[in-house]
C-alpha cells in the first residue's frame, strides 16, 4: 500500500511550522509515502485564502525538498492555483504531481497540463450532465491521464448514490475509454503506467 501525507486546504487554518516539520518527518520516515497531499485550494467551501496559500506553498516546498509529487485538490480556484504554481516555478521550484478528482473546464485542464501535471478523473466524468468535464477528458494526452475513485464519495454511474469503493473505478475507466475512442484494456494499461510514473511506484 502506498500513502500520501499532507494537509487538505479546508484544514489550512491548522498550518504551522510544527505541522510542516511533522509532514516532512512522516514523509521521510515512512517508506510507503509516495506523495505530499492532498494540498491545494478550495474556494467553494472556504474563503480563508491567505491561510490556504500558506499551506499550499509550504507543502510545495516540502515536496520539492523531498523530490515527491503533490496531490492537488482544486475547487472553484483554478486561476488562483495556476498563479500560485507559476509563482513557485518562477522562484525556481519544479512543481509536479496530479490534479486530483478533476472537474475543470478544458481551458483550466490545459493550464495544468502546461504546468506538467497529470489529470485524474473520478466518477464525476460518468455523470450525464458532465459534458464540460468529458470534453476535458478528451484533450488530456495519453501519458498524463489517471483515474480514481475518490472513495467513499462520487460513486460513478451506474452506482451513483451508493458509497463509492475501489472496485467502481472500472466504470470510470470504461467511460473514459469510450470518450477517447480506445479499448478498456488499453486505457487501463496506460493509466497503470502513468500512476507508476507519477508516483515512482515499483
Amino acid at each position: 500500500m502506498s500513502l500520501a501525507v499532507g494537509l487538505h486546504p479546508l484544514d489550512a487554518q491548522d498550518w504551522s511550522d510544527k505541522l510542516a516539520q511533522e509532514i516532512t518527518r512522516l514523509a521521510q520516515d515512512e517508506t510507503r509515502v509516495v506523495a505530499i497531499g492532498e494540498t491545494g485550494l478550495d474556494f467553494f467551501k472556504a474563503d480563508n485564502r491567505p491561510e490556504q496559500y500558506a499551506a499550499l506553498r509550504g507543502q510545495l516546498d516540502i515536496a520539492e525538498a523531498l523530490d515527491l509529487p503533490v496531490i492537488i485538490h482544486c475547487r472553484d480556484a483554478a486561476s488562483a492555483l495556476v498563479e500560485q504554481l507559476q509563482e513557485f516555478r518562477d522562484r525556481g521550484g519544479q512543481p509536479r504531481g496530479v490534479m486530483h478528482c478533476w472537474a475543470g473546464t478544458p481551458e483550466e485542464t490545459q493550464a495544468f497540463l502546461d504546468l506538467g501535471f497529470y489529470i485524474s478523473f473520478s466518477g464525476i466524468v460518468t455523470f450525464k450532465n458532465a459534458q464540460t468535464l468529458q470534453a476535458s477528458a478528451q484533450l488530456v494526452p495519453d501519458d498524463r491521464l489517471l483515474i480514481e475513485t475518490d472513495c467513499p464519495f462520487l460513486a460513478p454511474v451506474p452506482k451513483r448514490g451508493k458509497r463509492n469503493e475501489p472496485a467502481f473505478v472500472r466504470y470510470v475507466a470504461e467511460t473514459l475509454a469510450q470518450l477517447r475512442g480506445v479499448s478498456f484494456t488499453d486505457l487501463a494499461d496506460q493509466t497503470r503506467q502513468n500512476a507508476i510514473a507519477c508516483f515512482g511506484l515499483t
Side-chain angles (χ1 to χ4, degrees):
M1 177 188 297
S2 298
L3 307 173
V5 59
L7 183 72
H8 193 281
L10 293 179
D11 296 316
Q13 69 278 357
D14 296 329
W15 184 253
S16 66
D17 289 342
K18 182 178 180 180
L19 182 57
Q21 293 168 5
E22 180 66 5
I23 290 172
T24 301
R25 184 191 67 77
L26 288 169
Q28 289 176 318
D29 292 351
E30 174 53 73
T31 58
R32 293 177 295 171
V33 171
V34 297
I36 299 299
E38 63 190 83
T39 181
L41 301 175
D42 190 322
F43 298 161
F44 179 77
K45 291 187 175 180
D47 196 33
N48 55 338
R49 298 189 182 202
E51 292 176 330
Q52 291 193 41
Y53 290 151
L56 170 64
R57 291 168 186 158
Q59 290 175 91
L60 288 172
D61 286 338
I62 293 169
E64 180 86 3
L66 301 181
D67 192 26
L68 290 173
V70 287
I71 299 172
I72 297 284
H73 170 102
C74 179
R75 192 168 185 192
D76 286 3
S79 60
L81 182 57
V82 168
E83 183 177 307
Q84 290 294 310
L85 293 171
Q86 289 176 334
E87 288 181 4
F88 185 76
R89 176 180 283 183
D90 291 343
R91 295 195 301 271
Q94 295 294 325
R96 62 186 178 90
V98 57
M99 301 304 298
H100 152 69
C101 194
W102 182 240
T105 67
E107 293 77 17
E108 293 167 344
T109 302
Q110 189 60 57
F112 291 111
L113 288 169
D114 291 344
L115 284 164
F117 278 79
Y118 290 81
I119 309 294
S120 184
F121 295 93
S122 68
I124 299 172
V125 78
T126 71
F127 298 172
K128 290 182 179 180
N129 63 349
Q131 291 93 347
T132 299
L133 180 60
Q134 291 166 359
S136 292
Q138 290 172 308
L139 70 83
V140 176
D142 290 345
D143 63 354
R144 301 278 201 86
L145 181 70
L146 291 172
I147 55 177
E148 62 177 278
T149 60
D150 199 35
C151 176
F153 309 110
L154 301 172
V157 175
K159 303 293 185 178
R160 192 170 183 185
K162 298 183 179 180
R163 184 186 187 278
N164 206 353
E165 59 183 70
F168 296 170
V169 76
R170 176 183 185 90
Y171 301 110
V172 178
E174 289 173 346
T175 296
L176 286 171
Q178 183 177 17
L179 287 169
R180 295 168 67 86
V182 299
S183 73
F184 171 82
T185 300
D186 285 348
L187 186 131
D189 288 343
Q190 181 69 64
T191 53
R192 178 179 179 275
Q193 291 302 317
N194 293 348
I196 291 169
C198 178
F199 297 112
L201 305 176
T202 56

